[in-house]
Amino acid sequence: ETGFARGTAKIEGLEKYKGETLELRFQNEHLLAKTEDRLLCVTPDLIAVLDSETGLPITTEGLRYGARTVVIGIPCHPKWRTPKGIETCGPAYFGYDVEYTPVEEL
Protein backbone atom coordinates (compact mmCIF):
# COMPACT_ATOMS: atom_id res chain seq x y z
CA GLU A 1 0.00 0.00 0.00
CA THR A 2 2.73 2.52 0.92
CA GLY A 3 5.58 0.74 -0.84
CA PHE A 4 7.38 0.07 2.45
CA ALA A 5 8.39 -3.30 3.87
CA ARG A 6 6.85 -2.46 7.23
CA GLY A 7 6.76 -4.48 10.42
CA THR A 8 8.25 -5.63 13.68
CA ALA A 9 10.85 -8.31 14.34
CA LYS A 10 11.57 -9.84 17.73
CA ILE A 11 15.00 -11.23 18.52
CA GLU A 12 15.49 -13.47 21.54
CA GLY A 13 18.73 -12.84 23.40
CA LEU A 14 21.47 -15.44 23.79
CA GLU A 15 24.34 -15.78 26.25
CA LYS A 16 24.49 -12.65 28.44
CA TYR A 17 21.23 -11.41 26.86
CA LYS A 18 19.33 -14.66 27.51
CA GLY A 19 15.84 -13.90 28.77
CA GLU A 20 15.70 -10.52 26.98
CA THR A 21 13.81 -9.76 23.79
CA LEU A 22 14.86 -7.08 21.34
CA GLU A 23 12.09 -5.53 19.27
CA LEU A 24 13.04 -4.02 15.92
CA ARG A 25 10.54 -1.82 14.09
CA PHE A 26 11.15 -1.17 10.44
CA GLN A 27 9.86 0.57 7.33
CA ASN A 28 12.28 -0.65 4.64
CA GLU A 29 15.09 0.14 7.13
CA HIS A 30 15.47 -0.67 10.80
CA LEU A 31 14.22 2.48 12.54
CA LEU A 32 13.79 1.65 16.22
CA ALA A 33 15.35 -0.93 18.54
CA LYS A 34 14.10 -1.47 22.08
CA THR A 35 13.71 -3.98 24.84
CA GLU A 36 10.61 -4.19 27.00
CA ASP A 37 11.82 -1.41 29.26
CA ARG A 38 14.32 0.68 27.33
CA LEU A 39 14.99 2.34 24.00
CA LEU A 40 18.33 1.24 22.50
CA CYS A 41 18.54 3.08 19.18
CA VAL A 42 16.22 5.16 17.00
CA THR A 43 16.36 6.89 13.62
CA PRO A 44 18.24 8.90 12.36
CA ASP A 45 20.95 6.81 14.04
CA LEU A 46 21.55 3.61 12.14
CA ILE A 47 20.55 0.13 13.25
CA ALA A 48 22.40 -2.75 11.60
CA VAL A 49 21.50 -6.41 11.93
CA LEU A 50 24.49 -8.64 11.19
CA ASP A 51 24.85 -12.38 10.77
CA SER A 52 26.70 -13.45 13.92
CA GLU A 53 28.91 -15.93 12.04
CA THR A 54 29.82 -13.97 8.89
CA GLY A 55 29.32 -10.35 9.98
CA LEU A 56 27.34 -9.73 6.79
CA PRO A 57 24.33 -7.42 7.01
CA ILE A 58 20.81 -8.84 7.08
CA THR A 59 18.17 -6.62 5.47
CA THR A 60 14.62 -6.25 6.75
CA GLU A 61 13.49 -8.58 3.94
CA GLY A 62 16.27 -11.08 4.69
CA LEU A 63 15.65 -11.51 8.42
CA ARG A 64 14.31 -15.03 9.11
CA TYR A 65 13.19 -17.10 12.08
CA GLY A 66 16.17 -18.82 13.68
CA ALA A 67 18.79 -16.44 12.29
CA ARG A 68 21.70 -15.87 14.70
CA THR A 69 22.31 -12.14 14.70
CA VAL A 70 24.16 -9.27 16.31
CA VAL A 71 22.39 -5.90 16.33
CA ILE A 72 24.41 -2.70 16.55
CA GLY A 73 23.54 0.98 16.74
CA ILE A 74 25.71 3.41 14.77
CA PRO A 75 25.72 7.19 15.29
CA CYS A 76 24.48 9.11 12.27
CA HIS A 77 26.23 12.07 10.66
CA PRO A 78 25.86 15.23 12.83
CA LYS A 79 23.82 16.87 10.04
CA TRP A 80 20.96 14.44 10.77
CA ARG A 81 20.94 15.51 14.42
CA THR A 82 20.03 19.11 13.62
CA PRO A 83 16.40 20.25 14.04
CA LYS A 84 15.90 19.96 10.26
CA GLY A 85 17.48 16.49 10.20
CA ILE A 86 15.25 15.27 13.04
CA GLU A 87 12.21 16.77 11.30
CA THR A 88 13.17 15.04 8.05
CA CYS A 89 13.92 11.54 9.34
CA GLY A 90 13.52 11.45 13.12
CA PRO A 91 11.19 9.07 14.96
CA ALA A 92 8.10 11.32 14.68
CA TYR A 93 8.42 11.41 10.88
CA PHE A 94 7.89 7.65 10.83
CA GLY A 95 5.08 7.75 13.39
CA TYR A 96 7.01 6.65 16.49
CA ASP A 97 6.05 8.37 19.73
CA VAL A 98 9.57 8.63 21.19
CA GLU A 99 11.99 11.51 21.49
CA TYR A 100 15.22 11.25 19.54
CA THR A 101 18.17 10.53 21.81
CA PRO A 102 21.62 9.88 20.31
CA VAL A 103 22.53 6.19 20.45
CA GLU A 104 25.66 6.88 22.47
CA GLU A 105 23.49 8.40 25.24
CA LEU A 106 21.14 5.41 25.49
Side-chain angles (χ1 to χ4, degrees):
E1 165 179 325
T2 62
F4 288 117
R6 186 185 300 250
T8 300
K10 295 197 179 203
I11 299 174
E12 297 295 323
L14 298 173
E15 299 173 10
K16 73 177 187 177
Y17 300 104
K18 191 168 183 72
E20 292 187 58
T21 301
L22 175 71
E23 181 178 307
L24 288 174
R25 296 186 187 175
F26 58 88
Q27 294 179 37
N28 281 11
E29 304 294 332
H30 302 290
L31 300 174
L32 185 140
K34 68 181 196 118
T35 62
E36 186 176 301
D37 54 355
R38 82 183 187 120
L39 183 65
L40 300 172
C41 190
V42 66
T43 186
D45 288 328
L46 306 172
I47 300 166
V49 179
L50 308 173
D51 181 292
S52 64
E53 291 183 20
T54 66
L56 294 173
I58 301 174
T59 63
T60 56
E61 296 88 0
L63 194 57
R64 299 285 182 259
Y65 178 81
R68 300 276 176 142
T69 64
V70 174
V71 180
I72 60 172
I74 305 164
C76 64
H77 187 281
K79 171 174 44 175
W80 292 110
R81 292 180 171 180
T82 64
K84 184 66 171 173
I86 299 300
E87 176 187 337
T88 303
C89 69
Y93 178 81
F94 293 98
Y96 300 117
D97 188 23
V98 298
E99 291 290 321
Y100 171 70
T101 303
V103 64
E104 57 272 29
E105 294 177 19
L106 293 171

